[in-house]
Amino acid sequence: MSSHNKETVSIEFKPDDFLPAENHSIGIDRVYPAQSYWKDVLSSFLKNKGAAAGFIAIIFVIFMAIAGPYMNGYTYNEQIIANQNLAPRVPVLERWGILDGSETMSTSTGKVTVNRYTDPKKTTGLENTYYWFGTDVLGRDIFTRTFMGTRISLYIALVAVLVDMCFGMSYGLISGYFGGTVDNAMQRFAEILNGIPTLVIVTLLMLVLKPGLATITLALAITGWIGMNRVARAQVLKLKEQEFILASRTLGAGDFYLIFKEILPNIFGQLIIMSMFSIPNAIFTEAFLAFIGLGVPAPLASLGSLISDAFKSFTTHPYMIISPVVVLAVIMLSFNMLADGLRDAFDPKMKEM
């Protein structure tokens, strides 16, 4: 046997070979705190700048609808014939030549710029008179009337939400849950109502009832819930055979408990979105009815009736139509942006579709 000489290797460690662990960058998993479903929805909603801007615009419009008619000394039905057809005049902006009460009018000799606030031919001076949005053909303040009309549009929005959430939602939930003959009968009835144009319903109601806001409200209540009914029914048909519903039924839960305690919380987000999208449609319907003369009676005014009255003087005094059109557009656009933001917040997968 041969003997092998084994060499012993000595390893020397230096002081800087080992460093404390805190001096090294080590990847550690970050633990995020759990948050509820509604907090997650709110966080997603606030990240959507368009939806947040729409919500802020709605809050501002609501504030102006409440406080706007009291911001100056005029009422919505006060007629001052001597002050008719006055252009907008704002105290601060007039110093820069903006909204100073002057308007350009077309005459047989050409275009002429006039300012009836400082017209020397008038017997009573209007140097200290200000109409922020101008006046109409009867000398009524358009600013006050615009935001009085905004109240009616917001009222219509509230009616649309209440009709959708109280009647359309319940109708669709019950129809979809029970199915069969009940579902068939309920949906055929809804289709018959949906087949009648809203304009026809309003016209018939005008013959029976007095023209006014109550008539328009009733007309919207008759057919305004059809869309919500369909959405609610479709969601129930998708969920009613799920395992958690079968488990609750096995434990003895009743039908209405399953509908309103088990199914409804799982589809509430989609129903809110649908109700938000129905608001612009209801507001536009009221404005259209008012525009064709089926709106609230004078001296009350909605945005639609203001646009209808101003349209008659559009060629001579175009400023009359600007404010109600802008406010109506802001309301409808804001609710659409809000609904779009709510849809993305409640169902983020919709962004990918």
Side-chain angles (χ1 to χ4, degrees), residues 4-19:
H4 296 280
N5 297 326
K6 296 181 180 180
E7 297 181 358
T8 303
V9 179
S10 61
I11 301 175
E12 297 181 0
F13 293 101
K14 297 180 180 179
D16 57 349
D17 283 344
F18 298 94
L19 297 176

Side-chain angles (χ1 to χ4, degrees), residues 61-79:
V61 169
I62 293 174
F63 170 77
M64 291 302 297
I66 296 173
Y70 306 106
M71 286 185 175
N72 51 25
Y74 306 105
T75 61
Y76 73 95
N77 58 354
E78 181 182 4
Q79 300 181 13

Side-chain angles (χ1 to χ4, degrees), residues 10-129:
S10 61
I11 301 175
E12 297 181 0
F13 293 101
K14 297 180 180 179
D16 57 349
D17 283 344
F18 298 94
L19 297 176
E22 58 266 19
N23 293 334
H24 295 274
S25 58
I26 301 176
I28 301 177
D29 292 337
R30 181 178 298 179
V31 179
Y32 293 93
Q35 61 181 2
S36 65
Y37 171 72
W38 290 103
K39 286 185 178 180
D40 188 44
V41 169
L42 179 60
S43 176
S44 301
F45 176 78
L46 294 177
K47 291 179 182 178
N48 190 323
K49 296 181 180 179
F55 180 73
I56 294 174
I58 292 171
I59 296 299
F60 176 75
V61 169
I62 293 174
F63 170 77
M64 291 302 297
I66 296 173
Y70 306 106
M71 286 185 175
N72 51 25
Y74 306 105
T75 61
Y76 73 95
N77 58 354
E78 181 182 4
Q79 300 181 13
I80 306 176
I81 302 302
N83 296 349
Q84 62 183 357
N85 301 330
L86 293 178
R89 186 186 185 193
V90 181
V92 178
L93 298 180
E94 66 175 347
R95 300 176 183 176
W96 291 281
I98 304 174
L99 299 178
D100 57 353
S102 60
E103 61 176 328
T104 301
M105 302 182 64
S106 299
T107 63
S108 58
T109 58
K111 294 185 177 180
V112 179
T113 301
V114 298
N115 190 331
R116 299 185 64 244
Y117 289 91
T118 58
D119 188 357
K121 298 180 181 179
K122 295 182 67 66
T123 57
T124 57
L126 299 175
E127 291 80 6
N128 298 322
T129 302

Side-chain angles (χ1 to χ4, degrees), residues 150-164 220 275-276 278-280 282-283 286 331 335:
T150 304
R151 291 183 178 183
I152 294 178
S153 295
L154 294 177
Y155 166 78
I156 294 298
L158 178 62
V159 169
V161 171
L162 292 178
V163 169
D164 274 350
L220 292 175
S275 65
M276 288 295 104
S278 68
I279 289 176
I283 293 175
E286 186 279 327
I331 292 175
F335 274 111

Side-chain angles (χ1 to χ4, degrees), residues 275-333:
S275 65
M276 288 295 104
F277 275 116
S278 68
I279 289 176
N281 184 42
I283 293 175
F284 179 78
T285 300
E286 186 279 327
F288 169 73
L289 294 175
F291 183 81
I292 63 176
L294 297 178
V296 294
L300 286 174
S302 68
L303 294 177
S305 61
L306 288 174
I307 295 172
S308 177
D309 294 339
F311 183 74
K312 302 172 185 176
S313 305
F314 179 72
T315 56
T316 55
H317 304 288
Y319 65 85
M320 294 183 184
I321 203 173
I322 293 176
S323 55
V325 166
V326 170
V327 173
L328 180 62
V330 168
I331 292 175
M332 297 184 65
L333 179 62

